[in-house]
Amino acid sequence: MDQVVIVGGGFAGLAAARRLSEEPVEVVVVDQHNFHTFQPLLYQVATAGLGSADVAYPIRTIFRRARHVRFVHGRVSGFDLSAHSVLLENGQELPYDHLIVASGATAATFDVPGVVEHALFLYTLDDARWVRNQVLAALERADAAASEETLAPVIVVVGGGPTGVETAGAMAELVDIAIRHDRLRLDPDRTRVVLLDGQQRLLPSFSPTASAYAERILRARGVEVRLGLGVESVSTAGVTLAGGELVMARVVLWAAGVTVDGTVAADLMGRRGPGGRVMVERDLSLPDHPEVFVVGDAAAVPGPDGTGPDGAAPGAGRLQPGDTRRSLPQLAQVAIQSGDHAARQVVRRLESRPTTSFAYRDKGVMATIGRRSAVAQLAGGTVFYGTIGWIAWLALHLIYLIGFRNRIVVLINWAWHYFRWPSGPRLILGDVPARPPAASRPGRIGCPECRR
Amino acid sequence: MDQVVIVGGGFAGLAAARRLSEEPVEVVVVDQHNFHTFQPLLYQVATAGLGSADVAYPIRTIFRRARHVRFVHGRVSGFDLSAHSVLLENGQELPYDHLIVASGATAATFDVPGVVEHALFLYTLDDARWVRNQVLAALERADAAASEETLAPVIVVVGGGPTGVETAGAMAELVDIAIRHDRLRLDPDRTRVVLLDGQQRLLPSFSPTASAYAERILRARGVEVRLGLGVESVSTAGVTLAGGELVMARVVLWAAGVTVDGTVAADLMGRRGPGGRVMVERDLSLPDHPEVFVVGDAAAVPGPDGTGPDGAAPGAGRLQPGDTRRSLPQLAQVAIQSGDHAARQVVRRLESRPTTSFAYRDKGVMATIGRRSAVAQLAGGTVFYGTIGWIAWLALHLIYLIGFRNRIVVLINWAWHYFRWPSGPRLILGDVPARPPAASRPGRIGCPECRR
């Protein structure tokens, strides 16, 4: 039987493996983590709303009944496209007949000085746990030092996309719990959550009305929203804005954007498109390598002509580097659909049938802004706000959350969170050094799938 | 109002704080962790049966309604008994009118070479998470390396007490899940769980019948029980026995016993009794310091004359160093009752009434041996085995598990564990270095309450 290697156990990789699990192929899923991370809820782990185990599920358990799916726990160090083999850091090589690269994205620092050294990220479960530790420890330090505290426990979130908005909203609630419920002796005026973005509105991928709603809700919850401000540098003191102003901060969360780890793109013949993503054909295969598919956040997935979610322009054919207009945004839906599509193309190749172009079915976008508020924007343009949007968001995430047990536990956590207001595992686990560990820093990423 | 400082947020410290929360005193609970750890279930975190958040509960949340109870997040570096002040590592000092030291115990290495460097422990939540990471990573490495693997993934547990027995039983189940359920390519003959103890029977604090039962069940579950064997040293290769035999092992879990961190005892006037514990008067106060009480695992809590659980001898009066016969074992029940007693003595002192001697109400001991089996030995001597013992064990632990939300989640995990056999968060979180971090090593304990 042909061997299909799938790099990455994120949404795209799992979708591909699921589709192939019933087909006459040997599937090997390789990931540096032995679990799938439900990324849309990482911000809840970072803000102590959920425990780590609630948003992670062992990959082996997911495929426990799929006899032809094997899991390999390891870091990918590169690809040998001519030899048809994936190279692992431990020296192992995984030969393949068909390769699906779903290695995901990593934080984009945009070469802003100090980001790698002083900012925290939110792309892996380890990242999320570090953010939680850092924030809770900062609040405890402020409580212990009381008035003497020189640097106020200010939390700055950089980036007004869904991740930034959801995290800032939840952080504001966490601070509120700390003061009103946990009775930490914090000065509400000096304990702030600031959301920074260079653009003029939040959630640019949503409608202007939705953006305005998100901003209004965040402000109502005490988040200091500051737009149209570029970040010049990040230091131990905080964030320095383009104008030179220093926003003092104990914790700086960098959610400004993502890119693709250089080594992947390099090995994949250096065809990098918008956002450092790998350029692919319309069937998601690598140019000149029909046996290799790149999907999910790692790929510049082509959008349908003229109707792309990000306003695509007419004209078919291969995407050209820099052509951001016709590539789809890096969303879970795009990852799932593209992973599934690649798997189906592998089947077609096995059956010696021609491959087909990827067609994205837009299911809309949604973002939650803390408790009881969310914006859910459907493909048609319809937008749900507030509680209804929140329930829609909650239902959708529960449906997609892998593992029945996880679903129950998460539902309980949420119900609890909703009815008995202050809850959540506000635990400071492990030692909390001044900076996060190398493992969770983009400058130190040793493998493509680190971020899935 | 008088200020009562309680060092440690474990069973003893919480029991004392609870009792004092309604009294006219200012209570300060200090702990290096911002959460209470439900230690009896740590082995389930270590064996991937429960998530970290299931066995930990924020101390601030526990006392959210107790206006006179304040939490301080910090490490205790020492005590100034003459100045009536507790010293913290961050330089802070906590003045007290009454002091309750519930700083717990730490792993006793008995100066066996290599234990500090190469063994893992199971006294803090961080310890448990490290054990889980190390064991799961060892199994994954063995799967990846397949036959080439030189050192088989053998897990050696040293210590036949409740901790060792419960952990070994759960480890055997974890290995079974890994092979049969997660389909790791492991050689069942080379993947073993070994339980070592120097004595001739397991669970020495139980009846011989109970000990025999535990051994039978463990063997039935595939645990290699080896008794009457002293450990000479621990190395990267494994455990070297007194006879010189080397038991090769990937992971060595040291559950051979506990002692009290030297610095506490030293500051508490160096009155160290059996197991390095602090000698106390019959009212649990420190000799010559009626305003200082030492309780829980840190103290050599006097047992009732002649009827102590460990066969106490007649004769009242202060315990003499080395007199192990009349001090109670380091059990959760002893911790809870002694903490509560100390708190009540503080109240009596406030009311200028004489203090009373501590009287232990023996509620029996229990240990679970994996799924569906446990031994519950009541004070009267009655012993429950198997499922009934297991249900008794489960019920008791659920009752004592702090936090309603935690109870539900843990109950679900257990129900799941019971009905849908293989479950549990088998997640390898964080980077897994060859050795555990300094924070979880006894040789590096900087504070007494580290181990609570």
Side-chain angles (χ1 to χ4, degrees):
Chain A
M1 284 203 288
D2 278 15
Q3 173 147 302
V4 184
V5 172
I6 299 173
V7 175
F11 284 122
L14 288 192
R18 279 223 175 86
R19 167 70 61 176
L20 290 172
S21 60
E22 299 302 310
E23 303 292 339
V25 287
E26 288 295 338
V27 179
V28 176
V29 177
V30 57
D31 197 303
Q32 78 147 356
H33 295 119
N34 74 328
F35 53 87
H36 164 78
T37 305
F38 193 78
Q39 279 187 317
L41 289 180
L42 277 184
Y43 81 95
Q44 290 218 7
V45 175
T47 53
L50 293 174
S52 300
D54 300 335
V55 301
Y57 206 67
I59 293 171
R60 289 185 181 280
T61 309
I62 294 168
F63 295 107
R64 63 186 177 282
R65 289 191 186 77
R67 293 285 150 190
H68 293 308
V69 179
R70 188 162 72 81
F71 173 69
V72 170
H73 184 235
R75 293 181 186 237
V76 169
S77 57
F79 303 88
D80 186 337
L81 296 181
S82 48
H84 285 205
S85 145
V86 176
L87 317 173
L88 301 186
E89 278 189 355
N90 66 4
Q92 269 192 299
E93 294 194 8
L94 299 175
Y96 64 82
D97 300 297
H98 313 270
L99 172 65
I100 297 177
V101 180
S103 49
T106 173
T109 66
F110 304 112
D111 299 325
V112 173
V115 172
V116 171
E117 297 80 4
H118 307 294
L120 302 184
F121 306 91
L122 201 44
Y123 296 96
T124 71
L125 190 48
D126 289 331
D127 288 345
R129 287 162 57 238
W130 273 104
V131 171
R132 185 187 67 196
N133 282 345
Q134 295 287 329
V135 170
L136 292 176
L139 296 176
E140 286 290 351
R141 273 199 304 274
D143 170 88
S147 53
E148 304 116 53
E149 184 79 347
T150 51
L151 186 53
V154 174
I155 299 153
V156 171
V157 178
V158 181
T163 304
V165 166
E166 295 186 317
T167 308
M171 280 291 176
E173 295 179 333
L174 181 60
V175 168
D176 185 64
I177 290 174
I179 295 175
R180 295 200 297 112
H181 172 76
D182 285 349
R183 293 187 282 115
L184 273 83
R185 298 170 302 172
L186 303 172
D187 176 352
D189 303 333
R190 304 181 69 231
T191 311
R192 296 145 48 216
V193 175
V194 183
L195 178 59
L196 296 175
D197 195 278
Q199 302 191 51
Q200 290 304 332
R201 69 177 175 108
L202 300 170
L203 303 176
S205 57
F206 287 64
S207 71
T209 336
S211 301
Y213 172 80
E215 185 175 339
R216 195 169 67 250
I217 296 292
L218 283 178
R219 290 192 190 280
R221 287 167 195 257
V223 176
E224 214 172 295
V225 182
R226 301 186 60 182
L227 300 170
L229 296 166
V231 172
E232 185 143 305
S233 68
V234 178
S235 67
T236 48
V239 178
T240 306
L241 303 178
E245 179 195 348
L246 169 67
V247 181
M248 302 263 270
R250 263 258 185 246
V251 177
V252 177
L253 185 67
W254 190 260
V258 295
T259 183
V260 173
D261 181 67
T263 60
V264 204
D267 279 8
L268 298 180
M269 313 190 65
R271 299 176 183 280
R272 308 193 69 173
R277 294 181 283 176
V278 178
M279 304 300 295
V280 292
E281 303 286 355
R282 301 201 70 80
D283 65 356
L284 306 184
S285 69
L286 202 60
D288 315 327
H289 282 279
E291 75 284 0
V292 179
F293 296 88
V294 186
V295 296
D297 289 359
V301 179
D305 296 340
T307 59
D310 47 1
R318 177 185 304 174
L319 283 163
Q320 295 310 313
D323 182 352
T324 57
R325 294 166 306 140
R326 294 213 307 281
S327 59
L328 296 170
Q330 285 146 302
L331 301 170
Q333 267 306 315
V334 177
I336 293 168
Q337 291 181 33
S338 62
D340 182 72
H341 181 83
R344 284 192 276 103
Q345 302 318 302
V346 168
V347 174
R348 294 180 74 89
R349 285 170 49 81
L350 288 170
E351 298 164 346
S352 318
R353 292 158 57 202
T355 59
T356 61
S357 297
F358 173 68
Y360 178 60
R361 293 177 300 287
D362 186 5
K363 295 185 176 176
V365 283
M366 45 174 62
T368 175
I369 309 134
R371 186 166 175 257
R372 263 196 84 164
S373 318
V375 275
Q377 180 170 315
L378 305 193
T382 326
V383 184
F384 292 115
Y385 297 104
T387 310
I388 297 164
W390 186 75
I391 289 165
W393 175 89
L394 194 147
L396 192 88
H397 283 75
L398 271 180
I399 290 163
Y400 276 110
L401 197 59
I402 287 163
F404 181 60
R405 175 186 149 285
N406 287 46
R407 269 183 220 143
I408 307 174
V409 174
V410 171
L411 188 61
I412 284 171
N413 276 307
W414 278 345
W416 194 251
H417 185 53
Y418 187 79
F419 294 111
R420 282 281 310 276
W421 178 203
S423 75
R426 291 188 290 284
L427 315 171
I428 303 175
L429 294 173
D431 268 9
V432 184
R435 321 138 123 244
S440 71
R441 313 187 69 70
R444 298 283 297 278
I445 295 156
C447 63
E449 75 276 31
C450 285
R451 291 296 156 191
R452 290 317 295 246
Chain B
M1 281 202 289
D2 277 14
Q3 172 146 304
V4 184
V5 172
I6 299 173
V7 175
F11 284 122
L14 290 192
R18 280 224 175 85
R19 167 72 61 175
L20 290 171
S21 61
E22 298 303 309
E23 303 293 338
V25 287
E26 287 295 340
V27 179
V28 176
V29 177
V30 57
D31 197 303
Q32 77 146 356
H33 294 120
N34 74 328
F35 53 86
H36 165 77
T37 304
F38 193 78
Q39 278 185 319
L41 288 180
L42 277 183
Y43 81 96
Q44 290 219 7
V45 175
T47 53
L50 293 173
S52 300
D54 301 335
V55 302
Y57 206 66
I59 293 172
R60 288 185 182 278
T61 309
I62 295 170
F63 295 105
R64 63 187 177 282
R65 290 190 185 78
R67 292 285 148 190
H68 294 306
V69 179
R70 188 162 71 82
F71 173 69
V72 171
H73 184 236
R75 292 180 186 238
V76 169
S77 58
F79 303 89
D80 187 336
L81 296 181
S82 47
H84 285 203
S85 139
V86 176
L87 317 171
L88 301 186
E89 278 190 356
N90 67 4
Q92 269 191 299
E93 294 194 7
L94 299 174
Y96 63 81
D97 299 296
H98 313 269
L99 171 65
I100 297 177
V101 180
S103 49
T106 173
T109 65
F110 304 111
D111 299 326
V112 173
V115 171
V116 170
E117 297 79 2
H118 306 295
L120 302 184
F121 305 91
L122 200 46
Y123 296 96
T124 69
L125 190 49
D126 290 332
D127 288 344
R129 287 162 56 237
W130 273 104
V131 171
R132 185 186 67 195
N133 282 345
Q134 296 287 330
V135 170
L136 293 176
L139 295 176
E140 286 290 350
R141 273 200 304 272
D143 170 87
S147 52
E148 305 116 54
E149 183 79 345
T150 51
L151 185 54
V154 174
I155 298 153
V156 171
V157 178
V158 181
T163 304
V165 166
E166 294 186 316
T167 308
M171 280 291 176
E173 294 179 332
L174 182 60
V175 169
D176 185 63
I177 290 174
I179 294 174
R180 296 199 297 111
H181 172 78
D182 286 350
R183 293 188 280 113
L184 273 84
R185 299 169 302 171
L186 304 173
D187 176 351
D189 303 330
R190 303 181 69 229
T191 310
R192 297 142 49 213
V193 175
V194 182
L195 179 58
L196 296 176
D197 195 275
Q199 303 191 50
Q200 290 303 333
R201 68 178 176 109
L202 301 171
L203 305 176
S205 57
F206 287 65
S207 71
T209 337
S211 300
Y213 172 80
E215 187 175 340
R216 198 170 65 250
I217 296 292
L218 284 179
R219 289 191 190 281
R221 287 167 195 256
V223 176
E224 212 173 294
V225 182
R226 300 186 62 182
L227 300 170
L229 295 167
V231 172
E232 185 143 307
S233 66
V234 178
S235 67
T236 49
V239 178
T240 305
L241 303 179
E245 179 194 348
L246 168 66
V247 181
M248 303 262 272
R250 263 257 186 250
V251 178
V252 177
L253 184 65
W254 191 260
V258 296
T259 183
V260 174
D261 182 66
T263 61
V264 205
D267 279 11
L268 299 178
M269 315 188 63
R271 298 175 184 282
R272 308 194 69 173
R277 295 181 282 176
V278 179
M279 304 300 296
V280 293
E281 304 286 357
R282 301 201 69 80
D283 65 356
L284 306 185
S285 69
L286 203 59
D288 315 329
H289 283 279
E291 75 284 0
V292 179
F293 296 87
V294 186
V295 295
D297 290 358
V301 179
D305 296 343
T307 60
D310 47 3
R318 176 186 304 176
L319 282 166
Q320 294 311 313
D323 182 353
T324 57
R325 294 166 306 138
R326 297 212 307 280
S327 60
L328 296 169
Q330 284 147 303
L331 300 171
Q333 268 304 318
V334 177
I336 293 167
Q337 291 181 33
S338 61
D340 182 72
H341 181 83
R344 284 193 276 104
Q345 301 319 302
V346 169
V347 175
R348 293 180 74 88
R349 285 170 48 80
L350 288 171
E351 298 163 347
S352 320
R353 290 157 59 201
T355 60
T356 60
S357 297
F358 174 66
Y360 179 59
R361 292 177 301 286
D362 186 5
K363 295 184 177 178
V365 282
M366 43 173 64
T368 174
I369 308 132
R371 186 166 175 256
R372 264 197 84 165
S373 322
V375 275
Q377 181 171 314
L378 305 192
T382 325
V383 183
F384 292 114
Y385 297 103
T387 309
I388 296 163
W390 186 74
I391 289 165
W393 175 90
L394 195 148
L396 191 89
H397 284 76
L398 271 182
I399 290 162
Y400 275 112
L401 197 59
I402 286 162
F404 180 61
R405 174 185 149 285
N406 288 45
R407 266 182 224 146
I408 308 175
V409 174
V410 171
L411 188 61
I412 284 170
N413 277 306
W414 279 343
W416 194 250
H417 186 52
Y418 187 78
F419 294 111
R420 281 280 310 275
W421 178 202
S423 75
R426 291 188 289 286
L427 315 172
I428 303 174
L429 294 174
D431 267 8
V432 183
R435 319 135 125 246
S440 70
R441 313 188 67 72
R444 298 282 299 278
I445 295 157
C447 62
E449 76 275 32
C450 284
R451 292 294 155 197
R452 289 320 297 245

